[in-house]
C-alpha cells in the first residue's frame, strides 16, 4: 500500500523567513496531494492541494510543487507569520483513500 | 451554514466494551470520511461513505465499522475496545468526494479506553 514520509518532523523559522516541508510517497498511482494545517487543539484544515497533472500551485504565501518522477511534493510558505505556527500534514490519495504523513510541527518565532 | 458536528465530544470506555460515534455533515454534503488521530500513528484513514455506501476502507480491523443514513449522517462503531483504540476520531464531510471537493473536519470525539 501507499506510504508517505514527511520531513522535517519539526521546523523553527524566524518570522518573515520561508519554510519548506517535503513529503515522499510510494504509490505511483496516487494522483491527489492535499496539505492540511492543524493548530493546537483544533481540527485539520485544508490549505492547498495539487493533482498529478499539475507541477506547481500557488495561493498567496503558500505554494506546493509536485515531482511525479521522484514521487515527492513540497509545501512552501513564504513570509512566515506567527499564525502559521501549527502542525502540517501532507497526504497522498489514490481512489478515495487518504494516506497521511506523520506531520511537521512548524514554529514561527517572532 | 453549520459546520460538521460530532457527538459525543468525549467518551470514556473500558476494554471489551463497544462504542458508537456520530457525525453530522455540513448540509448538502454527501461524502463522509472517518479518521483516527493518535500521537504515535498520526492521522489514519478509516473509511469513507457516500450515498449510504462504503466507498473505501483503510487498513483497520473489522472491529471498526460504520454506516451512513439517508440524510448523510454517519456513525462509526468500534466493538471489543482495546487500549490502543484510545484516540481522537475525526469525521470530515465534502460535497461529493474529498478528492474533488474540499473536505471539512469536525471537532472530533476523544475516546479514552481504560
Amino acid at each position: 500500500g501507499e506510504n508517505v514520509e514527511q520531513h522535517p518532523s519539526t521546523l523553527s523559522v524566524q518570522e518573515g523567513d520561508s519554510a519548506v516541508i517535503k513529503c515522499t510517497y510510494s504509490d505511483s498511482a496516487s494522483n491527489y496531494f492535499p496539505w492540511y494545517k492543524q493548530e493546537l487543539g483544533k481540527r485539520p484544515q485544508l490549505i492547498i492541494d495539487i493533482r498529478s497533472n499539475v507541477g506547481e500551485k500557488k495561493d498567496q504565501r503558500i505554494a506546493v510543487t509536485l515531482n511525479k518522477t521522484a514521487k515527492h511534493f513540497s509545501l512552501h510558505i513564504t513570509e512566515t507569520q506567527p499564525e502559521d505556527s501549527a502542525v502540517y500534514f501532507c497526504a497522498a490519495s489514490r481512489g478515495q483513500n487518504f494516506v497521511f504523513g506523520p506531520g511537521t510541527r512548524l514554529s514561527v518565532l517572532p | 451554514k453549520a459546520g460538521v458536528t460530532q457527538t459525543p465530544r468525549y467518551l470514556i470506555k473500558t476494554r471489551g466494551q463497544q462504542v458508537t460515534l456520530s457525525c453530522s455533515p455540513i448540509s448538502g454534503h454527501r461524502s463522509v470520511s472517518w479518521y483516527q488521530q493518535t500521537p504515535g500513528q498520526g492521522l489514519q484513514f478509516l473509511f469513507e461513505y457516500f450515498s449510504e455506501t462504503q466507498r473505501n476502507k483503510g487498513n483497520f480491523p473489522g472491529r471498526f465499522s460504520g454506516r451512513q443514513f439517508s440524510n448523510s449522517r454517519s456513525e462509526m462503531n468500534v466493538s471489543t475496545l482495546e487500549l490502543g483504540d484510545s484516540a481522537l476520531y475525526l469525521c470530515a464531510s465534502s460535497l461529493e468526494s474529498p478528492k474533488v471537493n474540499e473536505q471539512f473536519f469536525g471537532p472530533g470525539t476523544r475516546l479514552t479506553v481504560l
Side-chain angles (χ1 to χ4, degrees):
Chain A
E2 175 68 279
N3 181 51
V4 177
E5 297 184 355
Q6 185 173 346
H7 298 280
S9 56
T10 60
L11 179 60
S12 293
V13 299
Q14 290 293 136
E15 183 177 357
D17 288 350
S18 295
V20 181
I21 303 169
K22 182 176 175 179
C23 287
T24 59
Y25 61 100
S26 60
D27 188 348
S28 56
S30 289
N31 56 12
Y32 176 65
F33 308 91
W35 285 89
Y36 292 89
K37 174 184 179 183
Q38 187 173 27
E39 297 176 61
L40 189 63
K42 296 193 175 180
R43 64 196 79 181
Q45 187 173 12
L46 178 72
I47 55 170
I48 197 166
D49 57 8
I50 193 166
R51 301 183 190 279
S52 58
N53 59 347
V54 175
E56 184 175 359
K57 184 177 178 181
K58 192 173 180 181
D59 183 4
Q60 299 182 345
R61 298 186 297 109
I62 294 173
V64 57
T65 58
L66 171 65
N67 184 325
K68 284 190 296 182
T69 304
K71 288 189 282 189
H72 67 71
F73 56 111
S74 300
L75 176 71
H76 305 254
I77 306 174
T78 59
E79 301 172 21
T80 53
Q81 301 167 2
E83 51 265 38
D84 294 329
S85 295
V87 177
Y88 291 81
F89 295 96
C90 64
S93 176
R94 174 185 180 180
Q96 303 299 326
N97 196 347
F98 282 72
V99 178
F100 289 84
T104 295
R105 183 173 300 279
L106 173 64
S107 298
V108 179
L109 309 173
Chain B
K1 189 182 272 191
V4 179
T5 58
Q6 291 185 244
T7 56
R9 293 293 312 278
Y10 302 91
L11 206 48
I12 299 176
K13 292 285 187 179
T14 56
R15 279 181 299 174
Q17 287 187 310
Q18 75 166 20
V19 66
T20 299
L21 313 181
S22 180
C23 173
S24 292
I26 292 172
S27 177
H29 285 195
R30 297 166 63 193
S31 168
V32 175
S33 299
W34 287 89
Y35 300 88
Q36 181 195 65
Q37 186 172 31
T38 61
Q41 299 297 320
L43 262 171
Q44 292 185 280
F45 171 78
L46 280 154
F47 28 65
E48 188 242 354
Y49 284 87
F50 178 80
S51 288
E52 302 179 65
T53 300
Q54 186 181 88
R55 191 155 58 174
N56 215 325
K57 190 177 190 304
N59 295 324
F60 278 81
R63 299 186 297 107
F64 292 81
S65 63
R67 59 178 175 168
Q68 186 180 34
F69 302 94
S70 58
N71 61 359
S72 294
R73 189 177 70 84
S74 177
E75 289 181 347
M76 69 163 279
N77 184 277
V78 187
S79 62
T80 319
L81 284 166
E82 299 177 0
L83 295 179
D85 296 334
S86 294
L88 180 67
Y89 289 89
L90 293 160
C91 79
S93 76
S94 60
L95 270 172
E96 301 284 330
S97 160
K99 288 185 67 173
V100 176
N101 319 109
E102 180 177 354
Q103 62 176 338
F104 294 86
F105 283 83
T109 293
R110 186 164 296 281
L111 172 65
T112 302
V113 182
L114 303 176

